[in-house]
Amino acid sequence: MKLLNLKPGHSAIVSAINIDDPGLSRRLEAMGFTVGQEVKLLRKAWLKGPLHVRVGMTTEVAMRRHEAEGIELEMR
């Protein structure tokens, strides 16, 4: 399952990050998106807007949908 397809309020574990852009991949890793990390989708904005995601216990980020397409998850 991709992060983009996760429903608001649900949590999952990052299983892979499949992003071709090395700069974006490094930024995501710096924000805490690493294999084995828990993520929770807090909300999705209307009209294909950004996603509000909690990474780990305290980090919250807003990200574009095309960025979330490259993050693979496994359900807990």
Side-chain angles (χ1 to χ4, degrees):
M1 165 186 275
K2 295 180 179 180
L3 177 56
L4 182 61
N5 301 325
L6 191 65
K7 293 183 178 179
H10 289 107
S11 299
I13 303 296
V14 175
S15 62
I17 297 177
N18 301 317
I19 295 177
D20 293 334
D21 181 357
L24 176 58
S25 182
R26 282 192 300 271
R27 285 197 312 268
L28 291 173
E29 185 176 335
M31 288 188 284
F33 287 94
T34 57
V35 173
Q37 182 63 271
E38 180 179 355
V39 295
K40 180 176 184 178
L41 182 61
L42 299 175
R43 61 185 164 160
K44 290 181 178 179
W46 289 72
L47 302 173
K48 298 184 179 182
L51 307 178
H52 184 191
V53 181
R54 179 176 294 144
V55 184
M57 297 294 287
T58 58
T59 304
E60 293 186 13
V61 298
M63 63 188 324
R64 297 177 186 98
R65 290 176 183 250
H66 77 271
E67 295 168 343
E69 282 185 332
I71 300 174
E72 297 283 337
L73 304 175
E74 60 185 50
M75 297 303 290
R76 300 172 44 170

